[in-house]
């Protein structure tokens, strides 16, 4: 990994980057790094006659951590307050208890604590023909109407194999929760990215408590990356989230297409585990094709769109994406289980 503060490989492919390194010298290949003989601390380079590090004798000193160059806004970041083309990873806000999102219907996956499932454990909800886990009362009720036909003349019931009923229990299953996180320039404002990371961290911890498998896809610049293949290790997801850089354009379609590919592979590996797609974005798409075609590939997948759009003027693009995915749309501010808006909605539903 590059040292902290250095641009990643994506920065050199970013059309909003002007091709210059972000440091005061010419990088590893240029011979004028920060510790070089011509560009060391207090030394003067042959190009501008000034001290290395970009500070001029008659100008103000650099702010710490700028590495000798002012941050350059990306195409998305300029609309969101001048976020840099690739910013240093922002820390996450404190985790909280998020709302519970479930997969509709009844599954039969691995035991967990999220969605409804048929399970050998849980509350008895009925009976069905079968002999595994005998439901005695239902079996006797099935056999009782046929006793005279079967020639019963004693005290016991005559039971045939077709009378056997097995217990049906309603339990909970763990799901595959796949996060698709927008890390583009439009999301790079420090305050917003802190809140986004805090929200995803809260959802990750919730997935751990509910025995889910989790995966993490991020998209920025020109492509989407599988930052965390589906796994049960939530700690790995938290570490990848902490180091997540931001900046560049918004390839929303690439993120959705990558999610469709990951879900396709996981469906072959574990057909019984149902997926839940969580898309965290403001809905903007500034690179790649229209997200409508990509959203069509996710048809039938239970989805949640976390709308991160903020400010007095909102375009409603995340809500439009949620409509294409047939997803539940929840604003970032309403994600907490004890948020005021969530409590009002819960009271209305009750």
């Amino acid at each position: 990994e590059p040292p902290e503060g250095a641009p990643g490989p994506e920065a050199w492919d970013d059309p909003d980057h002007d091709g210059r390194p972000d440091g005061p010298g010419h990088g590893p290949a240029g011979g004028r790094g920060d510790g070089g003989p011509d560009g060391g601390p207090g030394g003067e380079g042959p190009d501008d006659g000034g001290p290395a590090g970009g500070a001029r004798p008659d100008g103000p000193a650099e702010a710490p951590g700028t590495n000798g160059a002012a941050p350059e806004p990306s195409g998305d970041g300029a609309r969101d307050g001048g976020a840099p083309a690739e910013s240093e990873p922002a820390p996450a806000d404190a985790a909280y208890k998020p709302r519970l999102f479930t997969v509709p219907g009844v599954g039969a996956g691995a035991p967990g604590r999220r969605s409804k499932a048929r399970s050998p454990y849980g509350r008895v909800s009925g009976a069905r023909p079968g002999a595994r886990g005998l439901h005695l009362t239902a079996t006797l009720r099935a056999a009782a109407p046929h006793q005279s036909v079967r020639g019963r003349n004693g005290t016991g019931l005559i039971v045939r194999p077709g009378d056997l009923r097995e217990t049906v229990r309603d339990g909970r299953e763990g799901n595959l929760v796949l996060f698709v996180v927008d890390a583009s320039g439009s999301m790079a404002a420090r305050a917003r990215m802190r809140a986004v990371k805090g929200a995803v961290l809260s959802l990750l911890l919730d997935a751990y408590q509910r025995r889910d498998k989790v995966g993490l896809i991020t998209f920025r610049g020109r492509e989407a990356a599988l930052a965390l293949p589906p796994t049960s290790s939530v700690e790995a997801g938290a570490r990848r989230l902490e180091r997540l850089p931001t900046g560049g354009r918004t390839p929303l379609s690439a993120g959705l297409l990558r999610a469709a590919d990951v879900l396709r592979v996981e469906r072959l590996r574990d057909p019984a585990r149902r997926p839940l797609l969580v898309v965290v974005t403001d809905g903007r798409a500034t690179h790649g094709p229209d997200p409508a075609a990509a959203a069509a590939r996710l048809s039938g997948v239970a989805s949640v769109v976390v709308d991160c759009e903020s400010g007095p003027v909102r375009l409603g693009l995340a809500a439009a994406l949620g409509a294409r995915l047939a997803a539940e749309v929840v604003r970032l501010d309403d994600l907490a289980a004890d948020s005021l808006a969530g409590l009002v909605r819960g009271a209305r539903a009750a």
Side-chain angles (χ1 to χ4, degrees):
E1 296 183 356
E4 183 177 358
E10 299 88 347
W12 304 105
D13 296 331
D14 194 339
D16 299 315
H17 199 284
D18 62 1
R20 296 174 302 174
D22 290 338
H26 296 291
R32 281 198 61 215
D34 283 345
D38 294 328
E44 295 185 358
D47 294 338
D48 55 4
R56 298 184 179 275
D58 56 347
E62 294 173 6
T66 57
N67 204 19
E72 300 188 11
S74 70
D76 286 359
R79 293 194 297 269
D80 272 309
E86 181 173 351
S87 62
E88 295 181 0
D93 281 348
Y96 50 83
K97 182 180 179 181
R99 291 172 50 189
L100 172 61
F101 300 106
T102 61
V103 178
V106 180
R113 297 178 56 195
R114 182 172 296 276
S115 303
K116 289 183 179 180
R118 300 297 185 198
S119 168
Y121 314 100
R123 179 179 59 86
V124 176
S125 61
R128 63 188 174 191
R132 297 192 311 176
L134 187 65
H135 193 298
L136 181 59
T137 305
T139 301
L140 295 177
R141 283 201 302 264
H146 309 291
Q147 297 305 299
S148 59
V149 177
R150 296 172 183 175
R152 175 196 171 202
N153 55 13
T155 56
L157 267 68
I158 301 175
V159 179
R160 299 282 187 261
D163 301 328
L164 299 180
R165 300 292 185 269
E166 64 183 20
T167 303
V168 175
R169 297 179 181 272
D170 285 340
R172 294 279 174 176
E173 67 176 0
N175 298 109
L176 167 60
V177 183
L178 182 61
F179 296 93
V180 181
V181 181
D182 186 349
S184 63
S186 63
M187 299 282 291
R190 289 288 176 150
R192 187 192 300 188
M193 204 59 204
R194 286 174 60 101
V196 167
K197 286 189 175 182
V200 177
L201 177 61
S202 302
L203 291 168
L204 280 170
L205 295 176
D206 181 69
Y208 168 75
Q209 294 170 355
R210 301 186 185 280
R211 302 176 192 173
D212 296 319
K213 288 180 68 174
V214 296
L216 177 63
I217 293 174
T218 63
F219 58 94
R220 56 184 292 270
R222 289 184 173 85
E223 59 185 12
L226 182 59
L228 179 68
T231 177
S232 298
S233 175
V234 176
E235 292 86 354
R239 288 196 300 269
R240 304 290 173 87
L241 183 68
E242 183 181 358
R243 299 197 298 263
L244 177 65
T246 57
R249 294 183 176 179
T250 311
L252 180 56
S253 294
L256 298 178
L257 291 175
R258 191 63 183 269
D261 291 340
V262 171
L263 293 179
R264 177 181 55 82
V265 172
E266 290 300 313
R267 192 176 295 115
L268 297 175
R269 290 179 177 174
D270 191 356
R273 189 179 290 270
R274 298 187 296 164
L276 176 65
L277 180 68
V278 180
V279 183
V280 184
T281 181
D282 58 4
R284 298 183 183 181
T286 59
H287 183 75
D290 190 338
R297 288 190 55 185
L298 295 166
S299 176
V301 177
S303 306
V304 176
V305 174
V306 180
D307 184 0
C308 301
E309 193 173 21
S310 60
V313 178
R314 304 189 181 189
L315 304 178
L317 299 176
L321 175 63
R324 290 172 178 168
L325 293 172
E328 179 180 357
V329 180
V330 56
R331 289 178 54 186
L332 182 63
D333 298 337
D334 301 336
L335 188 62
D338 55 353
S339 67
L340 179 60
L343 291 175
V344 171
R345 280 194 295 268
R348 288 178 177 175

